[in-house]
Amino acid sequence: KALWSVDDGMLVGSTEKKKLTHNSFLATEKSYKDFVLKLKFKLRNGNSGVQIRSKLHEDYRVTGYQPDIAESRFTGILYEEGGRGILADVKQEEAAKHFDRKGWNEYVITCDGPHIKQELNGFTTVDYAEKSDKGAKEGIIALQLHVGPPMKIWFKDIQIKELP
C-alpha cells in the first residue's frame, strides 16, 4: 500500500514515499499461459516493466520475462528479471520514434506457446521465439517499481485475453 494506489481508475506506482532496497511488484494471483495483454502506461521517470509468465517470491520480488519500460534506451526490450538478462534487444533509435516520453503509451504483449511478441504503440519491438527450456511457459503478470531514484508510473485500460 505504500507503493501502489488507485486514482481515477488508474494504478499508480510510486517510490516517492518509500525507498526500495530491491525491485518491487504488484502481481496477479492467477497464473497465465497463452494470452494477449493490452495496457496503457505513462512513465514520469526511471524504470519499470510488465512481468509476464513470471514467478512471485517473498517480499514482492518477481523473476521472469519482462517487457521493459524505461526513460532510457530499454523501453521495448524483452528482459528476464532475475535470470538471463536481455533476451531480445531493440534498435534504440527506431524504438524511440514510437515511445512518447511525456504521454500515454500502449503495450500489446502476446504470449502464444514459445512465441512472445511485444508491440509499443503499434510498432513491433520484439518478436521472440524461446528456444531454451529455461523459459517459463506459464506464470503471473506483474507491474514493476524499480530500485533507485524516486520514480512514478501510471497504468490503465489493462485487458487480458487468454488464448486457447
Side-chain angles (χ1 to χ4, degrees), residues 1-4 13-24 59-60 145-151:
K1 290 183 179 183
L3 299 172
W4 292 95
S14 173
T15 61
E16 294 170 331
K17 295 180 182 176
K18 182 177 180 182
K19 184 171 175 65
L20 298 179
T21 57
H22 59 81
N23 295 343
S24 187
D59 201 23
Y60 305 102
L145 289 176
H146 207 281
V147 69
M151 52 94 45

Side-chain angles (χ1 to χ4, degrees), residues 41 46-50 65-79 81 86 99 107 109 118 120 125 144 146:
F41 66 88
N47 186 308
S48 183
V50 180
Y65 294 117
Q66 180 191 102
D68 212 333
I69 299 169
E71 64 183 335
S72 66
R73 74 163 202 87
F74 298 110
T75 295
I77 71 167
L78 179 62
Y79 184 78
E81 178 84 9
I86 296 175
F99 178 51
Y107 249 151
I109 302 160
Q118 295 171 201
L120 175 65
T125 63
Q144 181 192 53
H146 207 281

Side-chain angles (χ1 to χ4, degrees), residues 26-96:
L26 180 66
T28 62
E29 293 178 353
K30 182 177 176 176
S31 184
Y32 294 88
K33 185 175 180 178
D34 294 331
F35 57 89
V36 177
L37 171 64
K38 292 182 182 181
L39 59 80
K40 293 181 181 165
F41 66 88
K42 181 167 63 170
L43 178 68
R44 184 192 67 198
N45 67 301
N47 186 308
S48 183
V50 180
Q51 294 293 134
I52 53 173
R53 290 182 174 170
S54 294
K55 183 176 179 181
L56 181 63
H57 303 276
E58 288 183 8
D59 201 23
Y60 305 102
R61 293 177 188 249
V62 169
T63 55
Y65 294 117
Q66 180 191 102
D68 212 333
I69 299 169
E71 64 183 335
S72 66
R73 74 163 202 87
F74 298 110
T75 295
I77 71 167
L78 179 62
Y79 184 78
E80 188 176 44
E81 178 84 9
R84 298 172 284 169
I86 296 175
L87 300 175
D89 209 342
V90 297
K91 292 182 181 176
Q92 180 181 3
E93 308 78 35
E94 191 62 30

Side-chain angles (χ1 to χ4, degrees), residues 114-129:
H115 186 235
I116 298 173
K117 183 178 178 183
Q118 295 171 201
E119 297 169 88
L120 175 65
N121 295 326
F123 174 74
T124 300
T125 63
V126 167
D127 198 345
Y128 177 79

